[in-house]
């Protein structure tokens, strides 16, 4: 089931899996084929239009616009920089993520089960786990054997290093079709219509521009492709009115939305069949590209 994706592409499409984040042209790859850590690490990638080269570092492939720059340093919003911290990246699976239960998150196993149900139309396809953190769900998607390949994608170098370390310690993932990619969710390094499913766990409230990110997700999804995300709601329909003004002001630098805003965001970017499940401040939502 986990056939080499390059074979699948040779038979069905004329675009490569990875694309240049600057001009979205397919990347030329030199090295062993395959969507796994070893093959990606030993490969070099180059854009045939702008001639920019991309290489792997510390187990992940850097496909950001700023990849390879020597002097320019781009500083992101505080909520983005927080998750680039080595300490936060280390703690993410060691207590940080588990605390989400207090806000209504059902726990990793149940969240995975819910996502898998939504991803039913994407069986056998390519899943991109954006803002994957330390790869909690990326690894679960890969181990399920449901998909032809899984890409664990995050902007944080340290989160990807944590993900790499977890994968190397798990013998069941050593030959699995999983790749680690550093990229900006608002500048995804994939050709239009090349991805079967996108997952974004506890991520939307951390994005500098959710509208740009969802537009990008829509661009890379194929027709019929599925987007599933979870996040914290600013408040829900069950939140008492007297509390809501305090939730408006106490966002702590994060972009917490309400359910109506999330639905509006998805539909305005061209996604259809929106639905969601809510528990306290937790929401899992899904939408599909027509």
């Amino acid at each position: 089931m986990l056939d080499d994706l390059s074979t699948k592409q040779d038979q069905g499409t004329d675009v490569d899996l990875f694309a240049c984040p600057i001009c979205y042209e397919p990347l030329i790859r030199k090295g062993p084929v395959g969507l796994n850590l070893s093959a990606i690490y030993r490969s070099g990638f180059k854009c045939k239009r702008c001639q920019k080269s991309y290489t792997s570092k510390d187990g992940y492939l850097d496909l950001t616009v700023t990849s390879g720059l020597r002097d320019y340093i781009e500083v992101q919003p505080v909520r983005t920089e927080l998750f680039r911290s080595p300490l936060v990246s280390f703690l993410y699976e060691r207590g940080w993520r588990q605390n989400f239960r207090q806000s209504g998150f059902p726990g990793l196993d149940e969240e995975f089960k819910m996502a898998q149900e939504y991803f039913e139309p994407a069986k056998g396809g390519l899943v991109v786990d954006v803002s994957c953190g330390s790869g909690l769900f990326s690894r679960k998607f890969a181990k399920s054997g449901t998909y032809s390949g899984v890409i664990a994608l995050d902007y944080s170098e340290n989160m990807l290093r944590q993900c790499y370390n977890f994968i190397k310690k798990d013998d069941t993932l050593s030959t699995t079709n999983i790749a680690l990619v550093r990229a900006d969710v608002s500048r995804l390094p994939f050709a239009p219509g090349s991805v079967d499913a996108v997952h974004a766990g506890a991520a939307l409230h951390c994005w500098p521009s959710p509208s740009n990110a969802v537009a990008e997700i829509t661009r890379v999804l194929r027709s019929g492709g599925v987007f599933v995300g979870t996040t914290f709601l600013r408040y829900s329909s069950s939140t008492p009115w007297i509390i809501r003004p305090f939730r408006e002001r106490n966002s702590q630098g994060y972009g917490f939305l309400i359910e109506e805003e999330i639905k509006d965001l998805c539909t305005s970017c061209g996604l259809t069949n929106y639905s969601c499940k809510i528990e306290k401040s937790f929401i899992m939502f899904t939408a599909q590209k027509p």
Side-chain angles (χ1 to χ4, degrees):
M1 184 155 186
L2 295 175
D3 294 332
D4 190 319
L5 285 182
S6 63
T7 302
K8 180 180 177 181
Q9 290 165 349
D10 290 342
Q11 295 175 347
T13 179
D14 58 358
V15 296
D16 293 335
L17 175 59
F18 296 121
C20 175
I22 297 172
C23 55
Y24 293 139
E25 283 291 318
L27 294 178
I28 299 170
R29 178 174 177 176
K30 290 187 178 180
V33 298
L35 189 72
N36 56 69
L37 296 183
S38 177
I40 296 292
Y41 184 76
R42 292 157 54 202
S43 296
F45 298 83
K46 188 174 184 178
C47 177
K48 61 183 180 181
R49 172 172 289 184
C50 70
Q51 299 297 303
K52 185 175 175 71
S53 296
Y54 301 91
T55 56
S56 294
K57 177 183 178 182
D58 296 338
Y60 62 84
L61 175 62
D62 193 338
L63 293 179
T64 58
V65 172
T66 56
S67 173
L69 295 186
R70 297 178 181 177
D71 299 318
Y72 175 76
I73 298 176
E74 190 163 84
V75 179
Q76 295 289 335
V78 174
R79 60 179 178 266
T80 302
E81 292 296 318
L82 175 68
F83 292 99
R84 297 178 73 185
S85 157
L87 178 60
V88 173
S89 300
F90 177 81
L91 293 175
Y92 195 71
E93 282 192 48
R94 299 172 174 90
W96 184 291
R97 188 56 161 77
Q98 288 78 357
N99 285 331
F100 290 7
R101 278 183 174 272
Q102 300 175 20
S103 298
F105 279 68
L108 299 178
D109 291 340
E110 184 61 25
E111 285 178 58
F112 173 70
K113 179 181 177 182
M114 293 164 67
Q116 285 286 81
E117 292 173 357
Y118 284 134
F119 280 154
E120 187 71 24
K123 277 188 174 181
L126 175 68
V127 174
V128 178
D129 188 16
V130 300
S131 300
C132 68
S134 55
L136 287 159
F137 291 101
S138 306
R139 304 195 310 271
K140 285 181 175 290
F141 290 135
K143 292 177 74 170
S144 72
T146 308
Y147 310 102
S148 59
V150 176
I151 296 177
L153 183 149
D154 204 284
Y155 190 77
S156 167
E157 305 91 327
N158 284 305
M159 283 292 190
L160 291 170
R161 290 184 186 111
Q162 287 291 320
C163 185
Y164 177 81
N165 290 335
F166 281 122
I167 290 174
K168 297 302 288 184
K169 292 177 182 177
D170 190 338
D171 292 337
T172 63
L173 289 170
S174 59
T175 58
T176 303
N177 279 8
I178 183 171
L180 275 58
V181 174
R182 180 173 184 248
D184 186 341
V185 70
S186 293
R187 200 76 185 174
L188 293 172
F190 306 104
S194 61
V195 174
D196 298 282
V198 174
H199 176 262
L204 186 146
H205 57 281
C206 297
W207 295 341
S209 174
S211 59
N212 286 346
V214 175
E216 268 294 88
I217 289 168
T218 303
R219 180 185 67 80
V220 303
L221 280 173
R222 65 165 176 79
S223 178
V226 182
F227 173 37
V228 172
T230 61
T231 187
F232 295 90
L233 292 173
R234 190 162 70 246
Y235 55 77
S236 66
S237 58
S238 63
T239 305
W241 284 96
I242 194 170
I243 296 177
R244 295 186 184 187
F246 296 97
R247 295 282 179 86
E248 294 282 0
R249 291 193 291 269
N250 189 28
S251 63
Q252 297 178 335
Y254 292 99
F256 299 124
L257 304 179
I258 59 174
E259 191 272 328
E260 290 80 2
E261 290 175 314
I262 295 173
K263 181 178 181 180
D264 191 28
L265 182 59
C266 290
T267 55
S268 69
C269 288
L271 298 174
T272 60
N273 298 330
Y274 173 89
S275 66
C276 69
K277 297 177 181 178
I278 296 174
E279 179 65 32
K280 294 183 180 179
S281 296
F282 165 81
I283 181 172
M284 176 175 278
F285 60 93
T286 183
Q288 197 167 20
K289 186 171 179 177

